[in-house]
């Protein structure tokens, strides 16, 4: 697994993970999305969590888009994530932000809509 983490703007964090699984491993995009949503829901101070998962495609590969929001410590915590399956590789791109982030939703949408996966021969 490889992981990269950085700051996209004030009150925003971007996480990119690439996991290569052993041949023959059953990989579930639904399971990956569910696991991330469960982990974010378990953060201290989370109340009233709302979540949604939709089927999508990224660079012709099957993908899931997961959206999360909840009240947390006096503001709203939001997460937009993509899970992309390419053979034995799964990519996850997650943008975490708060309601305090200026244009947070638009920035998260721009980041996720820019994601492309190149086919490896």
């Amino acid at each position: 697994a490889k992981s990269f983490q950085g700051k996209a703007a004030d009150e925003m964090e971007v996480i990119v993970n690439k996991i290569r699984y052993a041949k023959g491993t059953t990989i579930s995009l639904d399971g990956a999305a569910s696991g991330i949503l469960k982990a974010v829901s378990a953060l201290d101070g989370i109340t009233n969590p709302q979540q949604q998962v939709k089927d999508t495609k990224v660079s012709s590969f099957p993908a899931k888009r997961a959206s999360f929001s909840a009240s947390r410590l006096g503001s709203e915590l939001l997460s937009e994530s993509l899970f992309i399956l390419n053979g034995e590789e799964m990519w996850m791109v997650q943008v975490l932000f708060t309601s305090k982030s200026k244009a947070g939703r638009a920035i998260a949408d721009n980041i996720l809509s820019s994601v492309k996966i190149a086919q490896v021969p």
Side-chain angles (χ1 to χ4, degrees):
K2 294 182 181 179
S3 182
F4 305 93
Q5 188 169 347
K7 192 173 182 177
D10 286 340
E11 302 288 331
M12 295 191 83
E13 189 172 307
V14 179
I15 302 162
V16 178
N17 287 312
K18 175 187 169 188
I19 303 167
R20 178 176 285 280
Y21 294 90
K23 285 193 185 289
T25 301
T26 302
I27 306 169
S28 168
L29 288 172
D30 286 318
S34 176
I36 286 296
L37 293 171
K38 187 175 181 179
V40 175
S41 294
L43 292 173
D44 289 339
I46 292 289
T47 59
N48 194 30
Q50 305 291 315
Q51 54 194 29
Q52 182 179 37
V53 178
K54 295 180 184 177
D55 291 326
T56 189
K57 291 215 180 261
V58 173
S59 304
S60 78
F61 296 107
K64 296 282 183 180
R65 169 101 182 231
S67 299
F68 175 88
S69 66
S71 297
R72 183 175 192 230
L73 308 174
S75 69
E76 186 178 21
L77 175 66
L78 301 118
S79 171
E80 292 292 333
S81 305
L82 271 177
F83 301 86
I84 308 146
L85 189 58
N86 175 5
E88 285 90 29
E89 291 180 346
M90 182 182 295
W91 289 82
M92 183 208 62
V93 180
Q94 182 180 38
V95 182
L96 292 164
F97 55 105
T98 71
S99 55
K100 296 176 185 176
S101 175
K102 291 180 174 64
R105 173 84 54 205
I107 293 169
D109 287 341
N110 283 341
I111 290 169
L112 294 185
S113 67
S114 74
V115 173
K116 306 288 184 255
I117 304 295
Q119 283 194 326
V120 179

